[in-house]
Amino acid sequence: MTRTIIQTENMGFTYPDGTSALQNINIEIKEGERVAVIGSNGAGKSTLFAHFNGINKPTSGHIKIHGKPMTYRKEELLQIRQKVGIVFQNPDDQLFAPTVIEDVAFGPMNLGLSEDEVDGRVEEALKLVGMTGLEKKAPHHLSGGQKKRVAIAGILAMRPEIMVLDEPTTGLDPTGVDQIMKILYMLNKEAMSIIIASHDVEMVTQFADKIFVLHDGEIIGQGTTEEIFNDCETLYKAHLRPPKSAELLYMLKNEGFPVNIKLTVDEAYHEILHALGSQSYHNLLHLVKDDLHHKLLHSLGEDKYHELLHLLEENQKDVTSS
Amino acid sequence: MNGVGSVRELERETEKESILHLMDGRVKLILLIFIIVYAVFSTQIVVLAFLELYLLLLIYISHVSFKSSFKRILLLLPFGGFIIAFQPFIHPGDVIWTGIFGLQVTQQGLMWAVLLMSRLIVALTSIVLLSSISPMQEVAQSFRKLGMPRELAMIFSLMIRFLFMFYDELHRIMHAQKARCFDAFNKKIPYKWRMKQLGYTVAMMFLRAYEQGETIYMSMVSRGFSDQSNFYQDRKKKLGTTEYVYIGVTVLLVVCLQVLAMTHFYELGVLGMNII
């Protein structure tokens, strides 16, 4: 049975100036889960994350780690911060040591580990994020993506059970995004739970298997990726938009077309093909001058072509799941 | 050369490859401090001249640009030079020149000023050389390895890291101002207004530094930071032959200079004379 790592019960947080940042938060994160907290700017995502390792203390309700309510004692906090690693949104907020190696070693040093153990963990963490060989580099010589990877390595070196990342892909180019996502998939494969905060719904669709929608400090929706993105009303209420493909299908559905909401472009493509029928689809290919699909359609015939699309879809699913 | 440019230029110098660049940071630091201390206690100009020649030789060996080194020395000279400039007029001794308002230059005062200037030049050359062959992070590491108190070492390391970040920040603010045609030296715009804008820039830098400080502290706490926290120290590097040769040559030079200073340099006249 998978264990629950983080659980909050009616948790709320109000800043000393009286600003209410979080209200009535009830969430549960289990071992090995990929969770996303989505919400617009100022929704309270970063404030929520600061509760997960005891930086912020709830002003109402409580938070449990491995079923035990947090007591905020010094020794306990050190243990919790080792278990729950937070990667900040801006890597410049996290990388404060003059060299990469010193920064990555900072966490393990605070755990009071032996020097050999620290060396081993630093080496391992840098290898995991593909930054071996850059140990002596100064952080200001690194690119945005590299800084992010070093920030992740700094947390990995503490060997956490759960990794919390605030906007992990913000400000990165597509290659940088791919590299970060690959690292997160790899860590998750090794049973590490990952929580990300983002308003990049396209990325969240691909990554998360459980989503919380946060708006004005409250959870206004939670469920699987399909459940959340099929509920466009909640998304619009949180000032978010569904993925482009889902938005298009949502519009078609509202116009009376017999389509289901699909979250990726490939799935949406196939769904539209079903809805339009082969002849209309054939006409559409003429219209968009798609040679490849057109040739396939002619050479295979409509039925076999359709079958091919199904096979490709199955294959795609296998690749993603493996 | 503006501040941003000079920091980057200095960084480029530290990235060059030479025997001196590759040496252990502690050796570089201790030997250059050793030279500065010896220079401060030397009372003969000829000793300082030899030390300066040795430093110039080291600059040559380390492939550091002479031009940029001299430029940096010249930039730093006025700080001490200002005090030295008064010495010929205030030091008692044999008057060699009398000017207006009864201003008098004494021979002893003049020699004292030359000695101080020579010491200053040797000290500045040492600092410029050290900063050109050792990246700042290496200097911080060396200080820590040599037993600098934990709190000071941490402040020093943080300062190095964020010095560059705030230079970048300043650069961005200046870019944004330039993009909207701001020029601090544009005489067509009221002086008071221009000063106000520069004031805003400085205030903005302070505000951003404050905010950044808060977030950095949070991120440090997230990784278990406490009043007992220590920075990591690279233990792998051990002193090699080049380090021992460098130590040997420098110590031998100082010993020889001291022996010559006590036995032969007085024969050189003004240059070898003890100035007290």
Side-chain angles (χ1 to χ4, degrees):
Chain A
M1 200 178 85
T2 48
R3 295 181 301 162
T4 300
I5 301 185
I6 297 179
Q7 189 180 9
T8 67
E9 286 172 3
N10 303 319
M11 194 179 79
F13 180 73
T14 306
Y15 282 105
D17 67 355
T19 313
S20 174
L22 298 172
Q23 304 107 44
N24 204 27
I25 303 286
N26 289 296
I27 60 174
E28 201 178 89
I29 289 143
K30 292 198 166 102
E31 204 175 47
E33 273 188 330
R34 294 198 301 256
V35 179
V37 178
I38 56 172
S40 57
N41 293 333
K45 301 187 293 282
S46 303
T47 312
L48 175 64
F49 282 7
H51 284 81
F52 291 161
N53 70 353
I55 293 176
N56 283 354
K57 193 175 173 182
T59 46
S60 63
H62 55 264
I63 179 164
K64 288 178 180 172
I65 305 287
H66 284 310
K68 280 196 331 203
M70 243 193 241
T71 59
Y72 299 91
R73 284 199 316 270
K74 200 177 168 187
E75 314 79 58
E76 190 206 45
L77 279 177
L78 190 64
Q79 282 176 4
I80 287 171
R81 283 167 188 164
Q82 187 266 316
K83 281 180 193 159
V84 184
I86 295 189
V87 179
F88 282 65
Q89 181 179 349
N90 179 1
D92 280 327
D93 291 340
Q94 196 171 318
L95 309 181
F96 61 87
T99 57
V100 166
I101 190 166
E102 287 170 72
D103 203 278
V104 177
F106 181 72
M109 289 289 289
N110 288 332
L111 297 177
L113 302 171
S114 71
E115 288 174 332
D116 288 331
E117 176 71 13
V118 172
D119 282 340
R121 285 197 181 197
V122 170
E123 199 183 325
E124 180 191 85
L126 287 173
K127 197 176 165 192
L128 275 171
V129 299
M131 292 292 286
T132 307
L134 298 174
E135 291 88 349
K136 302 275 171 184
K137 276 252 180 193
H140 63 274
H141 284 168
L142 303 175
S143 68
Q146 286 176 322
K147 278 185 194 171
K148 201 82 179 185
R149 278 148 66 193
V150 173
I152 293 175
I155 300 299
L156 284 180
M158 295 176 81
R159 299 214 179 124
E161 291 175 25
I162 186 160
M163 189 179 277
V164 182
L165 302 103
D166 196 353
E167 304 281 1
T169 55
T170 303
L172 300 183
D173 60 22
T175 316
V177 172
D178 285 348
Q179 283 169 337
I180 298 296
M181 296 319 289
K182 258 186 203 163
I183 293 168
L184 297 186
Y185 275 118
M186 179 187 71
L187 295 173
N188 181 250
K189 221 171 171 183
E190 320 239 314
M192 189 187 285
S193 312
I194 312 272
I195 310 179
I196 55 169
S198 186
H199 45 233
D200 179 356
V201 287
E202 305 286 344
M203 180 269 284
V204 166
T205 313
Q206 304 276 333
F207 180 75
D209 40 39
K210 187 177 187 179
I211 294 176
F212 294 95
V213 185
L214 193 64
H215 176 58
D216 277 348
E218 277 185 87
I219 301 282
I220 60 166
Q222 59 177 296
T224 62
T225 316
E226 283 74 22
E227 282 164 358
I228 292 297
F229 289 110
N230 270 306
D231 179 11
C232 287
E233 297 302 329
T234 306
L235 290 174
Y236 289 136
K237 193 180 163 196
H239 306 303
L240 294 168
R241 300 183 81 91
K244 290 285 170 211
S245 51
E247 203 169 15
L248 175 67
L249 290 169
Y250 193 68
M251 282 162 75
L252 289 170
K253 198 176 180 179
N254 281 349
E255 292 294 324
F257 285 92
V259 288
N260 293 314
I261 307 300
K262 297 288 175 187
L263 303 178
T264 64
V265 174
D266 286 342
E267 286 170 348
Y269 182 68
H270 197 187
E271 191 68 13
I272 293 170
L273 169 64
H274 268 280
L276 290 175
S278 297
Q279 189 51 49
S280 305
Y281 180 68
H282 196 162
N283 292 340
L284 183 69
L285 289 179
H286 271 289
L287 196 69
V288 298
K289 294 181 180 154
D290 184 324
D291 285 342
L292 180 69
H293 283 273
H294 204 178
K295 269 183 198 163
L296 279 170
L297 180 64
H298 272 284
S299 58
L300 293 172
E302 282 176 3
D303 288 342
K304 281 202 170 164
Y305 174 70
H306 194 168
E307 206 177 311
L308 173 78
L309 288 179
H310 274 285
L311 280 171
L312 285 172
E313 189 183 32
E314 289 301 316
N315 190 34
Q316 188 66 32
K317 273 182 190 162
D318 288 346
V319 169
T320 314
S321 62
S322 67
Chain B
M1 185 167 45
N2 62 28
V4 182
S6 58
V7 169
R8 292 274 179 252
E9 196 181 312
L10 184 58
E11 248 207 321
R12 273 197 294 278
E13 292 285 7
T14 63
E15 284 161 8
K16 286 182 177 170
E17 279 195 14
S18 74
I19 307 171
L20 281 170
H21 281 87
L22 295 172
M23 238 174 241
D24 188 282
R26 288 169 297 178
V27 174
K28 289 188 262 187
L29 185 66
I30 290 177
L31 286 185
L32 288 170
I33 290 175
F34 177 56
I35 288 175
I36 292 174
V37 171
Y38 181 60
V40 168
F41 285 103
S42 296
T43 52
Q44 289 162 309
I45 293 166
V46 65
V47 171
L48 296 165
F50 274 111
L51 286 177
E52 183 66 15
L53 276 175
Y54 178 59
L55 290 171
L56 291 177
L57 179 72
L58 292 181
I59 290 181
Y60 175 74
I61 293 171
S62 60
H63 308 304
V64 172
S65 149
F66 275 110
K67 197 179 154 194
S68 72
S69 302
F70 290 145
K71 250 201 240 169
R72 278 207 293 279
I73 293 170
L74 280 176
L75 272 172
L76 293 167
L77 260 184
F79 293 98
F82 186 71
I83 297 163
I84 294 167
F86 287 103
Q87 298 305 320
F89 304 102
I90 57 171
H91 219 80
D94 308 326
V95 177
I96 52 171
W97 181 80
T98 307
I100 49 163
F101 306 122
L103 270 179
Q104 290 179 329
V105 172
T106 63
Q107 193 189 348
Q108 283 80 356
L110 195 64
M111 290 309 293
W112 180 243
V114 172
L115 180 77
L116 282 186
M117 183 56 91
S118 311
R119 284 175 179 170
L120 184 64
I121 290 172
V122 170
L124 290 180
T125 313
S126 301
I127 291 167
V128 165
L129 177 64
L130 177 69
S131 61
S132 304
I133 57 174
S134 320
M136 285 195 213
Q137 47 272 26
E138 187 184 288
V139 178
Q141 269 267 13
S142 307
F143 271 121
R144 264 185 275 141
K145 281 181 185 169
L146 293 169
M148 187 189 235
R150 196 165 40 84
E151 290 80 4
L152 270 179
M154 191 158 274
I155 292 170
F156 188 41
S157 298
L158 282 167
M159 185 198 78
I160 290 166
R161 164 74 181 106
F162 291 102
L163 178 72
F164 290 98
M165 235 183 79
F166 282 106
Y167 267 129
D168 287 343
E169 193 68 43
L170 179 66
H171 211 51
R172 276 196 286 272
I173 294 177
M174 281 160 63
H175 259 300
Q177 289 176 335
K178 261 187 201 167
R180 285 181 286 164
C181 306
F182 177 72
D183 178 6
F185 301 102
N186 185 353
K187 291 197 171 122
K188 288 177 190 164
I189 299 161
Y191 178 76
K192 207 175 156 189
W193 188 85
R194 280 184 278 147
M195 286 301 109
K196 209 168 143 186
Q197 301 315 310
L198 289 176
Y200 288 156
T201 309
V202 175
M204 186 54 75
M205 289 295 297
F206 273 113
L207 270 176
R208 288 190 189 180
Y210 173 74
E211 281 176 0
Q212 186 94 26
E214 290 287 301
T215 340
I216 288 157
Y217 178 69
M218 286 233 294
S219 83
M220 288 169 80
V221 168
S222 284
R223 288 198 277 165
F225 175 72
S226 71
D227 48 2
Q228 299 303 314
S229 291
N230 258 324
F231 258 129
Y232 172 84
Q233 287 190 10
D234 187 3
R235 300 164 293 122
K236 285 170 191 161
K237 199 164 182 179
K238 288 209 171 112
L239 300 192
T241 321
T242 41
E243 275 94 355
Y244 287 118
V245 169
Y246 180 45
I247 295 170
V249 169
T250 310
V251 172
L252 193 68
L253 174 84
V254 168
V255 169
C256 289
L257 280 176
Q258 189 54 32
V259 170
L260 287 169
M262 288 174 359
T263 56
H264 287 83
F265 280 161
Y266 64 87
E267 293 162 8
L268 296 171
V270 179
L271 289 178
M273 172 171 100
N274 270 316
I275 304 162
I276 307 165

